[in-house]
Amino acid sequence: MRRKLVIANWKMNGHRSMVDQLLAGLQTRLSELSVQVVICPPAVYLDQAQALLKGSPISLGAQNASEHVTGAYTGEISAQMLREFGCDYVLLGHSERRSLYGESDAVVAQKTLAALKERLTPVLCVGESDAERASGKTEQVVSRQLSAAIEAVGVEAFSDIVVAYEPVWAIGTGNTATPEQAQAVHYHIRQQIASLSEKIAADLTLLYGGSVNADNAAELFAMPDIDGGLIGGASLDEQAFTAICNAAG
Ligand code: 13P
């Protein structure tokens, strides 16, 4: 279902007392939510976050999941385990996973399948690098990343998937895409899905991520194909994240 959605990706940041403080603060500030808010803390804090968010409208998500169900995969965490710790969402194919940990389109597609089997909502991240944009390959790269997932799970499954467009050059750089640049790629993504199913495309929730902050969120979220944001750095700041959530509402 297409909805307004803001997701916090804390990445590898935080500690126990910060989790307590930030989640308590956000619950107070976001008590009258008009958007769906999801917090993705590091996996070791999911248990703590699950307890703190009990009864709250804020949902819990993870930053990654294995493509495997169980077995000898040292260091990995399965979708089933994430479910047990209260996760409803999981980020998959984040550019940091793709570039730093070698996750291919095929692996991300298998992870998407594994997450869906456990009824987690995959947040499928796509986006081009600086060099790819400079050489005019943005749409080609995003389409390739999207196609791999469509082939693995089928277009119908996209009624249970959120897609996040995160241009690599905008992540953590302060160089956010302009609303027009982001809108153009979001439109392209929705059209690619529409070429297979207009209904699924119309219902698809599409997030923008990459240096979203309290000052630029409203104009990004005002674009017709941008349904919310995937927020990194600014999600660690209670005030900034609250402002971003309100901008989506
Ligand atoms: P920043 O908001 O810090 O640029 O990070 C974006 C991101 O990677 C969210 O997943």
Side-chain angles (χ1 to χ4, degrees):
M1 189 189 56
R2 189 169 175 187
R3 58 197 180 280
K4 293 287 178 192
L5 176 65
V6 179
I7 303 183
N9 176 9
W10 288 3
K11 308 194 179 184
M12 199 174 74
N13 293 293
H15 44 79
R16 273 187 177 279
S17 57
M18 174 271 208
V19 175
D20 281 341
Q21 268 174 28
L22 191 47
L23 291 185
L26 289 176
Q27 285 189 85
T28 311
R29 288 173 184 264
L30 297 172
S31 56
E32 309 267 303
L33 285 183
S34 57
V35 293
Q36 177 72 55
V37 175
V38 181
I39 308 288
C40 301
V44 287
Y45 300 123
L46 286 171
D47 193 28
Q48 184 187 354
Q50 182 185 22
L52 291 164
L53 293 177
K54 203 162 181 214
S56 157
I58 298 176
S59 300
L60 197 55
Q63 298 174 15
N64 184 27
S66 172
E67 65 273 39
H68 302 292
V69 176
T70 187
Y73 302 103
T74 302
E76 291 293 289
I77 299 175
S78 73
Q80 191 176 45
M81 293 168 185
L82 296 175
R83 256 265 158 249
E84 211 181 343
F85 282 78
C87 289
D88 289 316
Y89 292 79
V90 61
L91 309 183
L92 294 175
H94 190 282
S95 73
E96 286 148 20
R97 300 292 322 166
R98 291 178 189 264
S99 66
L100 302 174
Y101 302 98
E103 289 188 10
S104 63
D105 291 339
V107 165
V108 175
Q110 288 311 305
K111 288 181 174 216
T112 308
L113 195 57
L116 286 168
K117 281 189 182 147
E118 289 301 325
R119 289 168 295 104
L120 288 172
T121 300
V123 181
L124 176 66
C125 303
V126 298
E128 82 289 2
S129 68
D130 210 1
E132 288 163 339
R133 174 163 283 262
S135 56
K137 295 207 179 101
T138 299
E139 294 189 351
Q140 189 185 322
V141 169
V142 167
S143 285
R144 191 201 70 221
Q145 292 168 335
L146 198 56
S147 292
I150 297 171
E151 268 170 43
V153 303
V155 74
E156 297 297 322
F158 275 70
S159 58
D160 298 315
I161 291 175
V162 169
V163 176
Y165 169 56
E166 295 207 307
V168 178
W169 48 271
I171 296 178
T173 59
N175 277 336
T176 191
T178 65
E180 292 73 22
Q181 283 174 321
Q183 166 59 26
V185 182
H186 281 231
Y187 177 77
H188 173 76
I189 292 170
R190 208 179 289 284
Q191 285 307 111
Q192 185 174 347
I193 300 286
S195 69
L196 301 167
S197 166
E198 293 210 359
K199 159 125 188 55
I200 303 277
D203 285 347
L204 182 67
T205 301
L206 270 175
L207 307 182
Y208 169 77
S211 297
V212 178
N213 58 41
D215 296 328
N216 62 26
E219 53 175 6
L220 284 159
F221 299 163
M223 302 311 278
D225 286 298
I226 302 184
D227 302 310
L230 177 53
I231 319 300
S235 73
L236 299 165
D237 180 315
E238 186 182 314
Q239 232 174 327
F241 188 64
T242 303
I244 292 168
C245 292
N246 287 328

